[in-house]
Amino acid sequence: MAFFWNGIAGLIEVWQLPEYSHGPLIPILSALLFLQHLKSVPTQAGPSDRVWPGVILLVVALAFGAVGRLIDIDDIVAYGLILWIGAIILICFGWDTGKQFWPSVLHLVFMLPLPGALYYAVSTYLQSISSELGVFFVRLLDISVFLDGNIIDLGVYKLHVAEACSGLRYLFPILSFSYIFAVLYRGPFWHKAVLLLAAAPITIFMNALRIAIAAVVVNEYGVAHVEGFAHFFEGWVIFMSCVLLLFVLAAMLVRLHPQRRRLVDALDLETNGLWTQVTRAKFLHPSAALISAGLLTAVCALFSESLPARPTVIAERDPFMIFPKELEGWRRGPQSGLDPETEAVLAADDYLSVRLERAGHSVPVELFIAWYENQNRGGVHSPEVCLPGGGWEIASLNSIAAPIDTGDSAASFTLNRAIIQKGLERMLVYYWYDQQGLRTASVFDAKLRLLQSKVRHGRNDSAIVRLITPIQSGEDIAAAEARLQDSLGAVLKPLPRFIPGHGPTAGHVSQSRS
């Protein structure tokens, strides 16, 4: 386990967050699932057959761990740990028997955190769906309410459906619970599939109901009645309600079974004999494959510990506070600070949020740049995730070649062009990822460059650049397009001072442990 300690330590840290506080229970529940299944497997008298798939999986697991340690991404090490556990089971029991234990190994996935970009995308989507459903329930009670993004406007009061109210705190543990429910359920496969897939809609429905209840309470008694302990207690009530609904669904499925068994008979909840299964460890045959697996893992751990800690290289850059005020006819306005909640979600090490104005033009361009020194602590996420939360809808989105003549084909790049709207308001948006000299519309290309640079140069910094301009009533889109293109060319020239380019020595570099 020492080889995978970085991944374990990363998990322990993540489990401190409310969304992943169920994490410590997952290995325990997986172990119980394994022992439950082991009761149906006879004791082997000799060495296992066909252990080579386990050996191959072990090599893959160690490769995951090595890469994760090299680039200092704990999640990848944790993925390798799960593969390693699966490999050890296959080596101990052989392919034919060991493959039967896949449900308990797969369940370990629920202890992992979602990748940052996926987390924000799922969270924002759940916020949107929960807000819309919550408002629908409130309107059923004949209460006047208006939804603006994730803001529920009740007239006197406004209720913000924050990230913490997205439902992820219920979704992850409920998914784990429904998975175990489906594994232990003794019935047709489609029954198991229904129990597993029902977790998400049940969670969304109950979270929307919670938001609706909170809105009604706020409308009648004020905001103070849904804060603090009341908010916490309400969350536990909703969680237990989700579990109860899963039991109700299972009871309904049992009624559809031809044998019409009781729910308690349809679930394999027999715990007698579990300790007996634990004592079967003494019958494990120390095969050559198992000994080799242990030695190889130990050698990898000793070798990795003997290597010096790999530092993260921080390229020297100018702070955004000295970004030029004059940009080829465009004048930069003062910094527009973000509200504390948005700043916390953004989690950028430096950002620029300013208005660009040009003499003779009454319509401005908004420039926003976020720079991240070390994406191990979080990083860039797409505006596609952020904009819906503000009530904006993406009317169109496509990747285009940057509409400027750089005079150098090697300096050309792609960016995302979007038209967003909220009511009658429309805006034209350009944005791209600036990944250590690579400017691209593709988040995949940006992540790939980040991975390559982390391995080759030890750098882990990244940035995103966004330009927005209003499309005035009666204004042709071409006019807004020309405005963005003009400002784009002006912004690009000083940008390398603030977003360091490719390579290990973009200017003077300093080093810090990540």
Side-chain angles (χ1 to χ4, degrees):
M1 287 292 185
F3 182 67
F4 298 100
W5 176 249
N6 287 13
I8 297 171
L11 288 176
I12 293 173
E13 182 178 352
V14 166
W15 291 344
Q16 311 303 313
L17 301 175
E19 290 80 4
Y20 302 111
S21 58
H22 64 285
L25 293 175
I26 300 301
I28 298 173
L29 294 174
S30 290
L32 291 175
L33 279 179
F34 173 79
L35 294 175
Q36 189 81 344
H37 193 100
L38 189 59
K39 291 193 295 184
S40 62
V41 176
T43 302
Q44 292 177 300
S48 303
D49 297 324
R50 299 179 66 191
V51 298
W52 60 266
V55 174
I56 294 175
L57 185 60
L58 180 84
V59 172
V60 173
L62 293 176
F64 265 78
V67 171
R69 291 173 67 102
L70 176 65
I71 61 178
D72 198 23
I73 299 181
D74 296 338
D75 290 355
I76 296 180
V77 181
Y79 302 156
L81 173 62
I82 294 177
L83 294 177
W84 183 83
I85 292 172
I88 294 300
I89 291 175
L90 289 178
I91 292 173
C92 289
F93 293 92
W95 171 254
D96 294 329
T97 302
K99 67 182 180 181
Q100 301 176 39
F101 296 106
W102 69 264
S104 56
V105 177
L106 182 60
H107 181 253
L108 290 171
V109 171
F110 291 104
M111 72 181 180
L112 301 174
L114 289 178
L118 181 58
Y119 172 87
Y120 286 115
V122 172
S123 177
T124 302
Y125 175 76
L126 290 178
Q127 279 178 270
S128 176
I129 295 296
S130 297
S131 299
E132 292 178 8
L133 275 176
V135 166
F136 172 76
F137 293 147
V138 172
R139 286 173 178 161
L140 290 179
L141 300 176
D142 201 27
I143 296 176
S144 179
V145 62
F146 174 72
L147 180 64
D148 181 13
N150 293 324
I151 306 296
I152 298 177
D153 190 345
L154 295 161
V156 178
Y157 299 104
K158 290 185 178 181
L159 190 63
H160 181 210
V161 182
E163 181 184 325
C165 300
S166 65
L168 282 180
R169 296 182 182 182
Y170 314 131
L171 181 60
F172 293 144
I174 290 297
L175 280 173
S176 169
F177 186 87
S178 66
Y179 178 89
I180 295 175
F181 214 89
V183 170
L184 296 180
Y185 182 83
R186 292 180 286 204
F189 176 79
W190 73 270
H191 283 199
K192 295 174 177 283
V194 169
L195 288 171
L196 180 60
L197 297 176
I202 286 176
T203 303
I204 292 173
F205 173 82
M206 292 305 299
N207 190 51
L209 185 61
R210 174 196 185 192
I211 292 172
I213 293 172
V216 171
V217 171
V218 167
N219 188 62
E220 294 293 330
Y221 305 105
V223 177
H225 288 79
V226 294
E227 295 178 339
F229 175 77
H231 191 71
F232 172 80
F233 178 73
E234 173 192 344
W236 270 103
V237 170
I238 296 300
F239 173 77
M240 297 308 299
S241 298
C242 290
V243 173
L244 179 61
L245 285 177
L246 278 175
F247 273 100
V248 171
L249 177 60
M252 293 172 60
L253 291 173
V254 168
R255 299 288 294 175
L256 295 176
H257 197 277
Q259 298 180 1
R260 288 184 172 270
R261 294 177 295 176
R262 297 181 304 164
L263 178 58
V264 68
D265 297 324
L267 293 173
D268 184 9
L269 300 176
E270 180 58 55
T271 57
N272 291 333
L274 291 183
W275 179 249
T276 303
Q277 306 311 312
V278 174
T279 61
R280 284 177 57 176
K282 61 185 178 183
F283 296 112
L284 284 177
H285 184 77
S287 64
L290 185 60
I291 295 173
S292 299
L295 289 175
L296 182 59
T297 303
V299 168
C300 288
L302 290 173
F303 178 74
S304 61
E305 289 298 325
S306 67
L307 294 175
R310 183 179 174 87
T312 296
V313 177
I314 309 300
E316 187 177 81
R317 58 178 290 275
D318 289 336
F320 287 133
M321 65 182 296
I322 62 171
F323 198 84
K325 293 185 177 181
E326 299 292 337
L327 299 164
E328 297 188 351
W330 290 88
R331 183 168 182 79
R332 172 181 70 83
Q335 171 85 330
S336 300
L338 303 176
D339 62 82
E341 183 178 347
T342 303
E343 276 197 358
V345 173
L346 181 67
D349 293 287
D350 193 9
Y351 74 89
L352 179 71
S353 179
V354 295
R355 171 175 292 191
L356 304 179
E357 296 179 330
R358 189 179 183 91
H361 290 69
S362 59
V363 185
V365 171
E366 303 287 342
L367 169 63
F368 179 81
I369 312 174
W371 184 77
Y372 297 84
E373 179 180 283
N374 186 348
Q375 290 211 101
N376 287 349
R377 302 189 297 267
V380 172
H381 50 277
S382 171
E384 296 174 57
V385 173
C386 307
L387 290 172
W392 293 93
E393 296 179 359
I394 300 177
S396 67
L397 174 64
N398 58 292
S399 174
I400 63 171
I404 59 168
D405 183 10
T406 61
D408 180 5
S409 60
S412 61
F413 65 98
T414 59
L415 55 79
N416 291 292
R417 176 189 182 276
I419 296 178
I420 61 175
Q421 61 187 35
K422 179 165 63 171
L424 299 178
E425 296 181 71
R426 291 195 303 162
M427 291 191 176
L428 182 63
V429 184
Y430 285 172
Y431 72 90
W432 69 91
Y433 305 97
D434 208 311
Q435 196 74 52
Q436 302 176 20
L438 174 70
R439 294 170 181 158
T440 178
S442 169
V443 67
F444 175 79
D445 289 344
K447 295 295 184 183
L448 183 61
R449 168 61 70 90
L450 178 68
L451 182 61
Q452 293 172 342
S453 183
K454 180 69 175 177
V455 172
R456 295 177 60 190
H457 308 304
R459 286 182 56 187
N460 202 20
D461 50 285
S462 181
I464 187 170
V465 185
R466 186 188 71 197
L467 292 162
I468 299 181
T469 190
I471 303 174
Q472 299 288 84
S473 177
E475 181 184 31
D476 188 71
I477 292 181
E481 196 93 50
R483 195 160 52 245
L484 272 194
Q485 292 177 13
D486 189 28
S487 63
L488 172 63
V491 167
L492 286 177
K493 290 189 176 181
L495 210 52
R497 290 171 47 197
F498 306 91
I499 303 177
H502 180 59
T505 55
H508 173 73
V509 298
S510 60
Q511 296 183 333
S512 65
R513 293 187 182 277
S514 54

